[in-house]
Amino acid sequence: GEGEWALSKERFSENFKLFPNPSKSFKLELPKNYSNEKINLEIIDLNGKVVHKCPYQNNPYSLTIKPGMYWVIIKNENEILAKIKWMQE
């Protein structure tokens, strides 16, 4: 049912590592099976406003956005792969 899907999606997000958190800049680690895909990131504030968009990179992301709580949305071309809460210092 619905709850089951939510659970598997949650487990799924754990494969994506975002660290340090909280931080001024973060690094994102993808699960190995995604290394060949075209991955994009969207940083959205808690009101749902997109504050930053960029392609996945292997280096740390340093964003010039206001300190606070954000969602980091990790997408491939077809779907959202993970949604991670991140605190910008």
Side-chain angles (χ1 to χ4, degrees):
E2 187 103 2
E4 204 172 274
W5 183 84
L7 188 71
S8 67
K9 263 310 208 202
E10 278 308 307
R11 268 211 310 271
F12 194 43
S13 292
E14 288 170 17
N15 300 324
F16 292 84
K17 293 195 178 69
L18 187 152
F19 58 93
N21 188 4
S23 59
K24 282 198 179 356
S25 71
F26 64 85
K27 192 160 165 41
L28 181 68
E29 249 176 42
L30 300 181
K32 292 198 179 18
N33 50 331
Y34 287 106
S35 54
N36 305 327
E37 283 193 59
K38 193 167 171 285
I39 305 280
N40 288 300
L41 263 64
E42 277 182 14
I43 315 291
I44 61 173
D45 66 20
L46 298 187
N47 300 319
K49 181 171 175 284
V50 177
V51 295
H52 189 79
K53 274 185 175 175
C54 56
Y56 172 73
Q57 61 185 34
N58 214 352
N59 313 318
Y61 294 87
S62 291
L63 307 178
T64 48
I65 56 178
K66 287 201 303 261
M69 214 40 150
Y70 294 91
W71 286 104
V72 178
I73 310 290
I74 304 157
K75 311 167 114 168
N76 64 11
E77 299 185 293
N78 310 315
E79 60 179 346
I80 291 177
L81 303 173
K83 191 175 169 183
I84 301 171
K85 209 171 222 181
W86 170 64
M87 180 88 175
Q88 161 89 7
E89 288 187 322

